[in-house]
Amino acid sequence: MEKTIYLDHAATGPMWPEAVDAMLPFFTERFGNPSGICKPAQDARKSVEEARRKIAQALGSVPPETIYFTGCGTESDNAALTGYVNAVRSAEPGKPVHIVVGMTEHPAVLETARSLEKQGVAVSYAKPDADGVITPESLKAAMRPDTVLVSIMYANNVVGTVQPVAELAAVSHAYGAVFHTDAVQAFGHIPIDPGAEDIDLLSASGHKFGGPKGVGFLYVREGLKLAPILYGGGQERHLRSGTLNVPGIVGMGEAARLSAACMDEAAVRIAGLRDLLEQLVTAKLPDVTINSKTVRRLPGHSSLTIPGVTGENVVLMMNLRGICISAGSACTSGDLKPSHVLTAMGLPEKACYATVRITLGAQTTREEIEAVAQALIEEVTKLRSMNLG
Ligand code: PLP
C-alpha cells in the first residue's frame, strides 16, 4: 500500500504486533471451543480466562468475573442499556422506567435509547456545555424519581472531551439509578477505575486500543443483574450466548495489557504531538478554533473548526496527499448531516460543516505531524482562495 499518514485513530487503528502474534495459534492448531471439555477446549478456555484477567487488571484490578466478552463496542452498549432496562422491567412489571443518556453519545447508545423509547421507556437527554462536558448540574436537571439508568460516555469520539465520570456516577446513585459509561474511546488511552469511580456498567471495543475488530467487552459490577439480549447456549454465564471469539479475545486481552503498560508515557507523548499540530496550524491560520481545548481531552484528539472551508473538502484534499483525517461534520460515513455532537455543544451549523477531526496514535511521529500541519495549511489556503468552502 502507498505510504499514508494515518491520523484517524478514533475510527480504528493498527493492532499491536504482539497481540497479532498472540492470536495466530488460535486460528489453527489451538482451535478449541472453550465451552467443551476436551483438551483443545480446555486450552482455549484457559487462554480466554487469561485475557479476562488482563482486561480486569487494566481496569484498576476489578474481579475478572465482572468482564463479559461481546462482539463489539456497539453490542456492549446495547447489552448494557437494553439488558438493564429489561431486567428492571421483568423484576417489577408495570413500573414506569426512565433513562438518561448524553446528547453527545455515540449512535450505539443513542439508537438503543430510541429503540427503548419505542418500547415505552421514557428517555431524557443530558445537555453538554460548549466544551462537550456534561456537568453534574446538567445531569441533575435530567434526572427523575423513576430514572433507573444513566448512560454518559467516558470520552467523546468527535471532540475527545473526557466526562467527570465519578461525579456523574455519584449523581446517578443519589437518584437510585445505575451508571453506564461507553468507554470505547477511552479504555486503553487514559486510566479508568470502575471501583474508584463507582461505575456500574462499562463498554469497550478491542479495535480502539490496538486489538482486533469484532470483539469487545462489558464490565458489569458484581451483583448487578442484566437480562441477556442474545439467547442461545448460555456462554458468558448466561449473559451473552454465542461461541466465544477466542483469537479475538486473546488479541484484545494482550492489547489491553500492552496499552495499560505504556499508557502514561504514550499519553504524554501523543498529547505533546497533538499540541504541536494545533500550534503549527493556528500559527498560520489564526482563525481556526480548537474545540474542547480548555477541558480534559483524550491525548490524541484534535477537533478543528476552520472558517471558510468545509471539513469534507479538507478531508478529500488531504486524502489526495495520502493523509487520512476525518470530517467532524458527519456522524456516520456518507451522512452529510452536521455532527449531533458539535450541534449539541452549540456550534452554529456552518461551523459544524467546517470542522475536521484529527486523531493521533501510538505510532504517530513528529515528522508526520509537521507534514500534516504543512499540508493542512496549504490545502485550506488553496480552498479559501478558490472560494470552494
Ligand atoms: N462507542 C463509541 C464512543 C465509539 O467511538 C464507537 C466506534 O467508533 C462505538 C461505540 C462502537 O464500537 P464498535 O465499532 O466496536 O461497535
Side-chain angles (χ1 to χ4, degrees):
M1 203 164 41
E2 187 188 312
K3 169 101 179 96
T4 56
I5 299 180
Y6 185 81
L7 293 186
D8 196 15
H9 289 85
T12 195
M15 280 188 63
W16 289 92
E18 298 91 330
V20 176
D21 290 345
M23 289 172 73
L24 289 177
F26 294 91
F27 288 109
T28 51
E29 70 265 28
R30 299 176 70 180
F31 55 81
N33 181 333
S35 300
I37 48 171
C38 60
K39 262 211 170 107
Q42 290 311 304
D43 173 52
R45 170 55 64 190
K46 225 172 111 214
S47 301
V48 163
E49 295 314 321
E50 180 62 27
R52 204 186 303 278
R53 276 193 293 278
K54 288 178 186 172
I55 288 169
Q57 207 159 5
L59 269 184
S61 295
V62 295
E65 312 74 62
T66 59
I67 306 300
Y68 293 82
F69 293 117
T70 64
C72 56
T74 300
E75 185 193 325
S76 301
D77 285 336
N78 275 257
L81 270 69
T82 304
Y84 187 69
V85 164
N86 285 348
V88 169
R89 287 173 133 189
S90 72
E92 296 175 73
K95 177 184 153 94
V97 172
H98 172 250
I99 66 170
V100 178
V101 302
M103 278 185 185
T104 54
E105 295 301 306
H106 188 272
V109 166
L110 286 177
E111 293 303 320
T112 305
R114 279 182 197 128
S115 150
L116 290 170
E117 211 166 7
K118 285 186 196 137
Q119 297 162 44
V121 173
V123 182
S124 297
Y125 297 85
K127 188 168 169 42
D129 66 15
D131 292 310
V133 178
I134 294 178
T135 61
E137 291 67 39
S138 169
L139 176 57
K140 274 183 207 156
M143 298 297 288
R144 298 191 341 196
D146 57 348
T147 310
V148 299
L149 175 130
V150 171
S151 181
I152 310 279
M153 68 207 316
Y154 207 103
N156 183 261
N157 47 310
V158 176
V159 287
T161 301
V162 178
Q163 300 296 344
V165 161
E167 291 171 68
L168 297 173
V171 171
S172 309
H173 295 149
Y175 284 79
V178 305
F179 181 77
H180 166 252
T181 190
D182 173 341
V184 167
Q185 290 289 333
F187 179 81
H189 301 279
I190 54 174
I192 301 178
D193 186 338
E197 295 168 279
D198 225 0
I199 296 164
D200 300 300
L201 294 159
L202 177 145
S203 306
S205 173
H207 72 109
K208 305 289 187 176
F209 55 93
K213 294 168 183 60
V215 65
F217 70 85
L218 177 65
Y219 160 83
V220 183
R221 178 203 286 275
E222 269 177 314
L224 193 67
K225 292 269 172 294
L226 297 190
I229 59 166
L230 288 183
Y231 298 94
Q235 294 91 340
E236 290 297 86
R237 288 153 288 143
H238 300 285
L239 183 56
R240 202 277 186 174
S241 287
T243 300
L244 290 176
N245 170 4
V246 180
I249 289 167
V250 167
M252 178 169 69
E254 187 59 2
R257 185 185 72 76
L258 292 161
S259 302
C262 70
M263 184 184 291
D264 295 344
E265 177 274 322
V268 171
R269 194 171 50 75
I270 294 169
L273 289 174
R274 186 264 320 271
D275 294 347
L276 172 67
L277 173 76
E278 293 178 346
Q279 279 158 21
L280 292 171
V281 171
T282 52
K284 287 278 163 39
L285 303 171
D287 56 351
V288 166
T289 335
I290 301 163
N291 296 306
S292 306
K293 185 176 168 53
T294 56
V295 294
R296 187 173 172 218
R297 276 187 293 169
L298 288 172
H301 264 68
S302 182
S303 168
L304 302 175
T305 299
I306 312 173
V309 297
T310 63
E312 294 292 329
N313 278 344
V314 174
V315 169
L316 291 172
M317 300 304 275
M318 295 291 273
N319 189 43
L320 291 177
R321 296 176 68 141
I323 297 168
C324 298
I325 61 171
S326 82
S329 60
C331 47
T332 49
S333 59
D335 181 352
L336 284 178
K337 286 203 298 275
S339 155
H340 69 284
V341 174
L342 301 174
T343 307
M345 286 164 55
L347 262 75
E349 193 174 342
K350 211 164 172 194
C352 294
Y353 284 118
T355 299
V356 295
R357 178 185 74 177
I358 302 178
T359 46
L360 288 65
Q363 289 89 357
T364 306
T365 64
R366 188 183 174 97
E367 292 68 38
E368 287 180 327
I369 288 301
E370 287 169 352
V372 169
Q374 186 56 33
L376 187 66
I377 292 160
E378 285 171 15
E379 294 307 329
V380 167
T381 308
K382 229 188 285 172
L383 285 168
R384 282 177 173 173
S385 72
M386 292 189 285
N387 209 10
L388 266 180

